[in-house]
Amino acid sequence: MRAYKGIVENGVVVVIGARLPEGTAVTVTVGEGELLRARITSVLKRPRKIRVRLKPNPGLAMENGLALEGPGSSAASPGDHD
């Protein structure tokens, strides 16, 4: 076994200062401190997410008076006759 230094770039481990033949099986060991530092760095460098909330627009149904009426509405239902 031999240890090589490397870094992760775009989700791929890149070995620094060594050329390994194609198909070489490697085991990557990450120190707890390095993993924590990398996570903190990625959170701090991440672009801020901007969330936009849109209120639902009732659209043409409300403009034409065709809105669905609930069970407690004062309008007569189709089954009510005087």
Side-chain angles (χ1 to χ4, degrees):
M1 286 252 169
R2 170 122 195 222
Y4 296 96
K5 291 209 177 233
I7 190 167
V8 177
E9 294 178 354
N10 296 324
V12 177
V13 176
V14 178
V15 179
I16 299 173
R19 282 186 161 246
L20 300 174
E22 276 303 308
T24 303
V26 295
T27 302
V28 178
T29 304
V30 180
E32 199 66 34
E34 282 294 314
L35 184 59
L36 184 59
R37 182 191 61 79
R39 283 185 181 166
I40 291 171
T41 303
S42 70
V43 167
L44 293 176
K45 290 184 177 181
R46 180 181 306 163
R48 301 281 184 228
K49 290 183 181 176
I50 299 173
R51 292 186 180 174
V52 178
R53 290 189 173 199
L54 300 175
K55 292 184 179 179
N57 188 0
L60 295 174
M62 288 298 286
E63 291 177 12
N64 295 330
L66 300 175
L68 296 175
E69 298 177 3
S73 66
S74 60
S77 63
D80 293 338
H81 295 296
D82 288 329

